[in-house]
Amino acid sequence: LVVNVRVATVVNFLTLWHHIVIWGSIVLWLLFAFVYNGFEPSTDFFFSAFTVYGLIQHLFGTSRFYLGAVLCVPAALLPDMALQALQRLVAPRDFQVVQEMVWKSIVEGPAARAAKAAAKDTEGGGEAKDGVAQ
């Protein structure tokens, strides 16, 4: 789960293919776990020590598993995300600067940009755009 959430946070755009791969990976892991769990214990000495027969039913039947899944994923990703946020704040890359400019233009909207431009035009010495004093 940690790797899948990390992949989802790294990509710039989540397309249909990203969703298929991320969710498909989780589903395939669950299918593998159930199939592997269904194997009978071996009589071989080496493999009998590592039996997982019946473990999935026990594991998915406890609240600790779900609590651990909910708490461990953010705990594992928090240091990396904090480092990324600090890097973006202290020394942003070129594409991050462009992203910030785009986000600000979307958030401010056209009316706010027009008001800011009008205020900027009248700042210098009380003159309007055409150079006539007001």
Side-chain angles (χ1 to χ4, degrees):
L1 286 176
V2 173
V3 173
N4 290 315
V5 174
R6 178 70 181 129
V7 167
T9 60
V10 169
V11 297
N12 290 328
F13 300 101
L14 280 175
T15 64
L16 177 64
W17 289 109
H18 288 106
H19 281 285
I20 290 171
V21 169
I22 291 170
W23 292 109
S25 172
I26 294 170
V27 168
L28 285 175
W29 179 83
L30 288 172
L31 288 173
F32 167 78
F34 279 110
V35 168
Y36 186 68
N37 178 60
F39 290 142
E40 291 286 336
S42 174
T43 57
D44 185 17
F45 175 74
F46 179 74
F47 291 111
S48 64
F50 302 107
T51 183
V52 293
Y53 185 71
L55 182 66
I56 293 293
Q57 290 85 356
H58 176 71
L59 184 65
F60 287 167
T62 63
S63 60
R64 280 186 179 175
F65 171 75
Y66 298 103
L67 181 65
V70 169
L71 294 179
C72 287
V73 172
L77 292 175
L78 186 64
D80 188 48
M81 291 181 142
L83 184 64
Q84 280 184 343
L86 182 66
Q87 182 267 333
R88 187 178 187 118
L89 182 67
V90 174
R93 298 180 188 158
D94 292 338
F95 75 92
Q96 292 170 333
V97 173
V98 172
Q99 282 178 342
E100 290 288 333
M101 293 183 338
V102 169
W103 290 339
K104 284 182 182 178
S105 69
I106 291 172
V107 169
E108 288 179 354
R113 285 193 302 270
K116 187 185 285 185
K120 190 176 186 180
D121 288 340
T122 58
E123 280 178 359
E127 294 182 2
K129 278 185 177 179
D130 55 3
V132 178
Q134 296 178 350

